Amino acid sequence: MAAAPVANQAQAVLRSRLCDPAFVHSPLRSSPDTNYSKLKYLVNSSVSEACNNSVLLLGPRGCGKGAVLDMVLEDLKTEHPDAISVIRLNGMLHSDDNCATKEIARQLCLEHQLSFSKMASSDDNTEFMIDMLRECGLAHKTVIFVLEEFDLFAQGKQRLLYSLLDAMQTLTSQAVVIGMSCRLDADQLLEKRVRSRFSHRKLLFVPSSLDDIQRLMERLLMLDKDSSLPTNYVTEYNSRLTSIFGSKKFTGILNSLTDADATTSNILRFLFRVVSYMEMESGLLSMECFTNALSSMQRQPKMDSLQDLSILELYILVCMNRLEDKEQSSYNFNSIMKEYRSIQDAYRTSDKYATTVCFRAFEHLLDRELITFADSKGRNVALEYRPVKLLISSRELAEALKINTTCPAVLQKLLDRERYM
Amino acid sequence: MASTQTAQFAPHSAILGLSPARTRAQNFPNSRSPLPFPFDPSLWYLGFRRPPRAAGRHLALASSSAAMSQPVTPRRTTRATALAPDSPSSPPKSRAKHSPRRQLLVAAAAPDSPSSPPKSRVKPSPRHQLLVAAAAPNSPSSPPKSRPNPSPRRQLLSTAHAPDSQSSHPKSRPKSSHKRQFLVADEPNEANPLDALLEALPGRRAQATDLLRLLAPAPALPVLLHGGAATGKTRALLLALRHLRPSPRLVYAALRSLPSPRALFASILSQLKALSKRIPDKPSDFIPALRDALAGIVSQGELVYLVFDNLEVVRGWDKGGQLLSLLLRLHDLLWLPQVVLVYVSSTTPDAYYTMTGSVEPNHVYFPDYSVDEASDILMRGHPNPELYSAFLSVVLKPLFRVTRRVDELAAMLEPLFRRYCEPLGDLNGVPDEGIKRRLFEHLQPHLAVTLNETFSVPMRDSVGECKNGISVGKGSVKRQFGGRDGLSSELEFHMSVSAKYLLVSAFLASRNPATLDASLFDSTGGSDSRNRKRKSSQASIDRKDTMAEEMLMKGPGTFPLERLLAIFQCITSVSDDVLDEVECSDTTMGGTGMNALMSDVLLQLSTLCNSNFLSKSRSCPLEGSARYRSNIDEDLALKVARSVSFPLSKYMYRR
């Protein structure tokens, strides 16, 4: 009976692990020749040798760029407690130049116990930043600029990047610019004047290999022996988990998961679901947890919403599909209705409804975003006359009709054989 | 929105004899575009003010430069600055405090629902606000849009509320200082609250358990709920959040009722009680404020659930793409594990994919209800379940072929059920097979009608006729409800004669090609065109086909005012002739009638434009004159013509 609280406790431990990026990426600390050690060496040397540097961390989203950088900065802060100040900017928030310089000034003021005025102009802020960089250089203090979503800073005039990188050309300053981006061509976006001032150091982050992922999963899910949980529970839990990890089915799950997306964040999301599906009576993870999690991650939203349609809505989709097959360049609700009428006249089904009812079904389809208007303008044209297009392929539609048990046979026939009638 | 429209009508309706409600009802088929989000006027009471300009720049305080070996030389210390009054600790304006509650009310409660809680209650606590917000979308099917017909909604809300009252907190309670007390009091089956929760969510068992699992213990990854309209997403979420123990703090932002990013930021911050005088209008100001506020709450050991409802509407906003990616990446920006982000969207997750990729939340899919689930929901709280289930077993399947949305079904079922019960004297009895069959036979003709209409207009006249219909019997009912046309012909057009003629002439001007006007309205030109029509080659047939196709695509054409007036004059003169012949009235009467018809044409025209029968396009920059387009369809035009006994079909150009 005491299993339930234990299970809750174990689940809480596992969930907090999964939500903590520092824990997830901690093994990088110990292993050599990783991006972590490269980045650390780079920043460390520029701190200790008092030089300027710039580097880009590139890689798809969810590969741990930010986590690695955080670890490096944390380490450096403990190693050189007084010689570093970190300024963080995010492209989503500070891509505007004025905003960015203001934010830099704010963080510099905060770091050095100066009082910050919100009313300072952009020029004042830029000037202040350059002054501060010089002062910091004279004081042998390295300013590290972290620019998340680096590609967004490269929009527009790139004044911020220019003034940052230009300030680093002087001898007195001492700064490191670290850009992070999920666009691999982020450095190509830079203007010529900016690019020439940028040291072309790039660190590429790639999704980890299958072995690494398996190791990561084991590390994340295995419970420690010396935790507060009862020992016999931990042993049972771990042995169950080991047998799952060893099984062939698990390898299959892992393969189909990583085939789609092998980034760390995707793995974490998967494991989070697995842990959420834990059997709370026993507190153990079973194979079903893994298969359920996988199937819920592999849903196809379009197919799901196709299954939700009423018969009339399916009729309209089939009519649209027929119109597209006829290679009609564009069509609107009225032409769909013409097609619908001709079908109803030919087959005399019971599903012949008034135009207003069909229009409501049409609007439902628009709401579900299975179809959309083909033009962007047309504000004052009535909806019936605006051209529309399908957002699903005919293959998807055929599949959906096949799965749908309530779908009348006529529809299937209309879609398949008598296409060119 | 609706009220302003009515106000616009008022002067014209005095002339036309249109009652506003009637006008809207007639108008409805033409104004099909869904209503925009419920606009919340209370936002504009907020009194957004610019902060007093604090003069000054960065003041390098002569701090002893603790961190530096060499002090920064202070620049321009001349002007001491009073910092801008936006420290987060400054109390928010009392007025601003009210707005989020209103927003919530607007967001969650239907704007016209008569059962929505009275807004004038004295000072509800914030907890209460949330409860109200949570309770209003209780009806599993209440849509956020307003509907023309309020009665089914009333019924729906009440049915949804009724079975709920055991698990939800009664809203009539005074200030909820005794939160704990009534948590216990209201949930008699405290032993198994999960069952109570699942009971309150019919047909959503899998989704509710999924949600609880994904949300439950504190650190959780973001969750996205998606599914079609009226599938109980918001309701399931809010009930599940209320189910959690210890009860977390809920911050609920219904994006449909928050028309701009600024309003969104203000709403969220004020729910966290962190709204300073200056409302942030940029994300770069909002995110730090939000992080500060959340960090303060989290440090006290509370959990926060940040819910963004109707996420899909953000895409339509100005710069919505940026805001959307910001909202979806809030988890990474905040890095507070005790804050759980929940998104609710009626579109599929692939609507939010971006070029640069995004970290996806966990999805929970809400499928539409199946027939059985829908009938379960519709049955809830019904006074006579046997009768109603017999009714549903007959009716629901055919209706389900048309629409699967429970809210629409409920609206269609309500009048049908009244019909179904008509032959019954006693509504509380349990029907046997024979009665059921009889009732079904009685219902069948009405069912066919209901299947083919999207809304019904309750009218004084027809209500009276319905009453008569009961006594007269089946025959007359059948005649009356023989088809859509039969029903609609009962509609009366409370329009002046000249407005009707104007409408008909606008219809003709839109449908007929301008080149044919002469031959149609001039007696000498008519025969000419008929002769030409005879010899139609294959090529001309083809050309006509493509023209017909074009007509189908382009819709009605536009026309200048002059042409409309010319046609108007022609057809009024023609029909005057007809009237003269039939009624043998003297010529002077006809003449004055004609003049009277012409007198206020421009006034009528603007009335028709305002009520969306005609639409006026922007004036052409070269010609300088506006062009008009008629919005009515052929059926309506024919009916209007019939009401003034004008032979419209003679004048329509058929290809």
Side-chain angles (χ1 to χ4, degrees):
Chain A
M1 276 301 103
V6 170
N8 281 335
Q9 215 178 332
Q11 201 182 32
V13 169
L14 292 171
R15 282 169 79 119
S16 56
R17 269 187 198 176
L18 292 172
C19 292
D20 181 11
F23 183 87
V24 173
H25 294 277
S26 58
L28 289 174
R29 277 214 168 98
S30 47
S31 58
D33 201 31
T34 54
N35 280 329
Y36 167 77
S37 51
K38 283 180 205 161
L39 184 65
K40 191 173 174 187
Y41 174 75
L42 198 77
V43 182
N44 209 350
S45 63
S46 50
V47 171
S48 53
E49 287 164 25
C51 56
N52 292 311
N53 220 333
S54 50
V55 65
L56 273 182
L57 314 183
L58 304 176
R61 241 181 245 288
C63 280
K65 301 184 289 291
V68 165
L69 180 65
D70 283 347
M71 277 158 52
V72 167
L73 291 178
E74 209 175 290
D75 289 359
L76 288 175
K77 267 184 193 161
T78 52
E79 284 170 30
H80 314 271
D82 284 335
I84 290 179
S85 65
V86 180
I87 309 292
R88 282 177 174 276
L89 296 179
N90 191 313
M92 279 198 293
L93 306 179
H94 311 113
S95 60
D96 175 25
D97 285 332
N98 295 343
C99 211
T101 49
K102 195 169 155 186
E103 179 66 16
I104 290 174
R106 195 186 67 80
Q107 292 192 18
L108 279 173
C109 287
L110 199 71
E111 196 90 356
H112 298 112
Q113 279 101 40
L114 306 173
S115 88
F116 165 72
S117 160
K118 290 202 167 165
M119 294 303 143
S121 72
S122 168
D123 279 353
D124 284 339
N125 281 330
T126 318
E127 208 178 310
F128 174 71
M129 178 185 86
I130 290 169
D131 285 353
M132 281 301 286
L133 276 179
R134 199 181 53 237
E135 297 292 341
C136 285
L138 290 173
H140 295 293
K141 213 171 145 120
T142 305
V143 182
I144 299 179
F145 290 96
V146 177
L147 306 179
E148 286 176 51
E149 314 281 338
F150 184 79
D151 47 315
L152 296 178
F153 285 103
Q155 292 166 347
K157 293 265 183 208
Q158 309 187 350
R159 258 182 35 224
L160 173 81
L161 289 178
Y162 176 73
S163 53
L164 261 184
L165 292 169
D166 193 47
M168 288 168 52
Q169 303 300 312
T170 57
L171 275 176
T172 47
S173 73
Q174 191 178 335
V176 182
V177 172
I178 303 174
M180 280 194 279
S181 174
C182 47
R183 277 187 72 165
L184 297 186
D185 64 341
D187 58 330
Q188 303 299 313
L189 298 173
L190 298 177
E191 275 177 26
K192 202 172 152 197
R193 59 172 189 163
V194 180
R195 203 184 303 168
S196 63
R197 284 166 173 76
F198 177 70
S199 79
H200 286 265
R201 288 198 180 80
K202 284 182 275 185
L203 286 180
L204 196 63
F205 285 71
V206 288
S208 19
S209 66
L210 214 56
D211 290 342
D212 285 344
I213 288 173
Q214 180 137 8
R215 226 169 296 136
L216 177 74
M217 282 184 164
E218 281 169 20
R219 215 174 55 77
L220 285 171
L221 291 186
M222 289 291 191
L223 290 171
D224 287 337
K225 285 246 163 40
D226 48 350
S227 62
S228 58
L229 298 162
T231 324
N232 50 357
Y233 164 71
V234 173
T235 6
E236 198 191 342
Y237 171 89
N238 282 348
S239 68
R240 281 284 286 275
L241 207 56
T242 322
S243 71
I244 289 175
F245 283 148
S247 69
K248 209 164 209 168
K249 204 170 170 192
F250 177 76
T251 326
I253 290 175
L254 200 57
N255 276 328
S256 67
L257 184 71
T258 50
D259 279 349
D261 186 359
T263 56
T264 316
S265 68
N266 192 41
I267 305 295
L268 287 182
R269 209 160 55 237
F270 172 69
L271 292 184
F272 187 83
R273 267 196 190 265
V274 170
V275 171
S276 302
Y277 288 148
M278 180 190 267
E279 289 161 24
M280 293 318 277
E281 287 79 31
S282 59
L284 300 175
L285 290 176
S286 63
M287 202 52 163
E288 276 93 74
C289 301
F290 286 89
T291 46
N292 287 346
L294 184 70
S295 66
S296 67
M297 303 250 319
Q298 288 181 334
R299 289 201 87 106
Q300 295 184 359
K302 284 273 191 251
M303 292 302 285
D304 283 338
S305 60
L306 275 175
Q307 290 308 307
D308 282 347
L309 296 182
S310 68
I311 306 293
L312 179 58
E313 285 156 8
L314 284 176
Y315 262 108
I316 290 179
L317 281 185
V318 169
C319 287
M320 288 178 71
N321 193 50
R322 284 167 65 90
L323 287 176
E324 290 205 344
D325 277 344
K326 283 179 188 165
E327 295 184 350
Q328 203 158 326
S329 57
S330 73
Y331 52 91
N332 57 17
F333 176 69
N334 284 331
S335 23
I336 295 168
M337 278 322 285
K338 204 172 133 199
E339 180 74 19
Y340 174 75
R341 291 264 157 67
S342 72
I343 287 177
Q344 297 300 338
D345 290 344
Y347 288 90
R348 308 214 163 276
T349 64
S350 59
D351 293 301
K352 185 171 184 179
Y353 301 107
T355 313
T356 50
V357 175
C358 292
F359 193 74
R360 186 178 61 185
F362 179 75
E363 281 184 330
H364 285 180
L365 290 174
L366 281 172
D367 275 351
R368 287 180 193 275
E369 307 201 347
L370 293 171
I371 62 178
T372 187
F373 290 118
D375 59 342
S376 53
K377 47 173 180 63
R379 284 269 167 262
N380 52 358
V381 180
L383 294 183
E384 294 100 308
Y385 295 107
R386 290 182 65 182
V388 285
K389 64 182 178 197
L390 275 176
L391 291 179
I392 48 167
S393 64
S394 58
R395 192 189 52 79
E396 279 172 313
L397 186 56
E399 215 166 293
L401 290 183
K402 217 172 282 169
I403 301 170
N404 199 332
T405 46
T406 53
C407 161
V410 180
L411 266 180
Q412 192 97 39
K413 213 163 83 182
L414 284 169
L415 193 70
D416 290 345
R417 274 181 288 141
E418 300 182 37
R419 250 181 207 185
Y420 302 103
M421 195 190 82
Chain B
M1 165 96 190
S3 64
T4 55
Q5 211 175 343
T6 326
Q8 264 185 358
F9 275 137
H12 298 299
S13 55
I15 302 161
L16 283 176
L18 292 167
S19 74
R22 191 64 63 86
T23 322
R24 284 239 302 288
Q26 286 171 353
N27 195 12
F28 189 74
N30 303 315
S31 56
R32 265 174 192 139
S33 58
L35 285 176
F37 45 79
F39 176 70
D40 181 17
S42 71
L43 271 178
W44 306 101
Y45 303 148
L46 271 173
F48 297 140
R49 262 198 329 196
R50 294 210 161 275
R53 283 209 163 256
R57 299 186 162 75
H58 293 302
L59 185 67
L61 275 188
S63 67
S64 53
S65 68
M68 305 174 69
S69 57
Q70 203 168 342
V72 180
T73 43
R75 302 163 52 238
R76 295 186 202 125
T77 44
T78 44
R79 299 164 91 181
T81 56
L83 282 185
D86 38 339
S87 66
S89 59
S90 71
K93 279 197 290 180
S94 60
R95 255 184 169 172
K97 247 177 155 177
H98 281 285
S99 68
R101 186 183 71 239
R102 292 253 193 98
Q103 286 161 16
L104 281 178
L105 285 171
V106 171
D112 53 347
S113 93
S115 60
S116 73
K119 293 177 191 179
S120 57
R121 241 182 315 127
V122 243
K123 271 221 160 185
S125 70
R127 160 137 217 107
H128 230 90
Q129 300 164 14
L130 296 177
L131 289 180
V132 172
N138 258 354
S139 79
S141 49
S142 81
K145 292 180 217 159
S146 70
R147 285 290 146 93
N149 192 357
S151 55
R153 165 182 301 285
R154 190 182 308 139
Q155 177 237 339
L156 243 189
L157 279 176
S158 58
T159 54
H161 273 284
D164 244 20
S165 52
Q166 48 157 353
S167 67
S168 73
H169 314 305
K171 277 168 263 127
S172 55
R173 291 273 173 148
K175 262 192 125 180
S176 62
S177 53
H178 326 290
K179 191 173 87 193
R180 186 150 301 282
Q181 174 217 325
F182 73 74
L183 282 180
V184 179
D186 286 339
E187 288 169 17
N189 40 3
E190 183 77 17
N192 205 344
L194 184 63
D195 285 349
L197 173 71
L198 294 179
E199 168 65 25
L201 296 168
R204 293 284 93 127
R205 171 173 276 275
Q207 285 76 23
T209 45
D210 246 23
L211 256 184
L212 282 179
R213 278 176 171 155
L214 289 175
L215 293 174
L221 297 178
V223 182
L224 171 74
L225 280 68
H226 67 100
T231 48
K233 302 180 289 293
T234 306
R235 178 181 156 85
L237 174 67
L238 293 176
L239 284 181
L241 287 178
R242 207 192 288 166
H243 172 80
L244 296 183
R245 295 285 175 277
S247 48
R249 189 189 275 236
L250 169 64
V251 178
Y252 178 83
L255 293 164
R256 195 185 290 283
S257 65
L258 300 167
S260 69
R262 193 188 165 95
L264 169 68
F265 299 160
S267 159
I268 291 176
L269 289 180
S270 69
Q271 285 182 55
L272 291 166
K273 301 218 172 44
L275 192 63
S276 58
K277 272 212 181 111
R278 208 186 122 176
I279 295 161
D281 46 7
K282 274 191 216 147
S284 53
D285 298 333
F286 168 64
I287 297 292
L290 180 66
R291 193 189 292 128
D292 288 347
L294 288 173
I297 293 167
V298 164
S299 64
Q300 291 165 15
E302 254 191 290
L303 298 180
V304 186
Y305 282 83
L306 208 53
V307 180
F308 295 96
D309 205 342
N310 317 114
L311 193 64
E312 70 280 353
V313 298
V314 180
R315 289 174 305 162
W317 288 5
D318 190 22
K319 288 188 183 168
Q322 285 175 26
L323 186 67
L324 198 62
S325 61
L326 184 81
L327 291 181
L328 285 170
R329 303 215 60 207
L330 216 48
H331 184 68
D332 295 352
L333 288 172
L334 292 174
W335 275 132
L336 293 166
Q338 302 298 305
V339 177
V340 182
L341 295 162
V342 188
Y343 308 98
V344 182
S345 155
S346 68
T347 52
T348 49
D350 43 4
Y352 307 111
Y353 290 159
T354 53
M355 282 262 290
T356 51
S358 56
V359 177
E360 282 179 56
N362 274 314
H363 307 313
V364 179
Y365 178 61
F366 281 67
D368 270 34
Y369 295 106
S370 68
V371 188
D372 299 335
E373 288 164 351
S375 79
D376 272 0
I377 292 167
L378 293 165
M379 288 279 294
R380 303 190 104 205
H382 207 275
N384 189 350
E386 282 85 6
L387 182 65
Y388 203 67
S389 75
F391 166 67
L392 283 185
S393 67
V394 174
V395 163
L396 200 55
K397 275 243 170 85
L399 289 185
F400 227 63
R401 289 178 86 87
V402 178
T403 177
R404 289 180 63 178
R405 278 174 56 168
V406 182
D407 50 345
E408 284 172 1
L409 285 173
M412 290 158 86
L413 286 173
E414 199 226 26
L416 263 186
F417 184 62
R418 255 188 278 124
R419 290 260 166 238
Y420 187 74
C421 294
E422 265 168 15
L424 283 180
D426 168 30
L427 286 182
N428 297 320
V430 180
D432 59 10
E433 283 305 310
I435 294 178
K436 275 186 196 170
R437 202 171 307 124
R438 197 161 59 80
L439 289 178
F440 176 60
E441 274 167 15
H442 169 73
L443 188 70
Q444 227 168 2
H446 303 299
L447 182 61
V449 177
T450 310
L451 279 174
N452 280 312
E453 61 188 18
T454 48
F455 70 102
S456 58
V457 192
M459 278 182 303
R460 263 164 295 147
D461 300 356
S462 71
V463 169
E465 269 181 47
C466 287
K467 277 183 193 148
N468 296 338
I470 300 166
S471 56
V472 171
K474 214 164 114 185
S476 79
V477 175
K478 251 196 173 158
R479 182 187 55 75
Q480 190 187 337
F481 290 93
R484 184 163 163 269
D485 282 349
L487 179 68
S488 307
S489 66
E490 304 296 325
L491 276 177
E492 275 183 44
F493 294 98
H494 289 254
M495 262 188 207
S496 68
V497 179
S498 68
K500 283 178 183 172
Y501 274 119
L502 204 56
L503 200 56
V504 169
S505 45
F507 174 74
L508 283 176
S510 257
R511 297 303 142 117
N512 291 351
T515 46
L516 280 180
D517 279 355
S519 54
L520 279 174
F521 296 109
D522 193 3
S523 50
T524 52
S527 57
D528 215 27
S529 79
R530 227 164 271 146
N531 285 341
R532 243 180 278 148
K533 239 185 217 170
R534 291 266 158 71
K535 36 181 179 177
S536 59
S537 64
Q538 186 58 40
S540 73
I541 289 174
D542 283 354
R543 205 178 59 231
K544 271 174 198 160
D545 278 355
T546 57
M547 266 175 72
E549 201 64 51
E550 228 168 67
M551 176 77 181
L552 211 57
M553 285 303 297
K554 271 192 193 155
T558 61
F559 49 86
L561 182 62
E562 290 78 17
R563 188 168 162 226
L564 175 70
L565 291 181
I567 295 178
F568 177 70
Q569 203 139 22
C570 285
I571 62 173
T572 44
S573 64
V574 167
S575 60
D576 276 346
D577 294 345
V578 174
L579 281 178
D580 290 347
E581 283 165 22
V582 172
E583 293 174 8
C584 302
S585 61
D586 55 348
T587 46
T588 51
M589 272 289 282
T592 51
M594 163 96 188
N595 282 339
L597 281 182
M598 282 303 289
S599 61
D600 55 4
V601 161
L602 291 179
L603 189 61
Q604 305 280 13
L605 187 67
S606 78
T607 308
L608 289 177
C609 282
N610 280 339
S611 48
N612 204 15
F613 286 117
L614 304 185
S615 62
K616 187 177 173 182
S617 64
R618 274 169 307 167
S619 55
C620 169
L622 283 180
E623 292 175 34
S625 61
R627 291 182 77 86
Y628 295 83
R629 182 202 301 274
S630 105
N631 286 334
I632 61 173
D633 59 355
E634 199 176 318
D635 286 348
L636 187 62
L638 282 172
K639 263 165 234 153
V640 173
R642 210 178 303 145
S643 70
V644 288
S645 50
F646 170 74
L648 178 66
S649 43
K650 269 209 282 184
Y651 291 91
M652 274 189 325
Y653 173 63
R654 303 270 176 207
R655 291 179 179 87

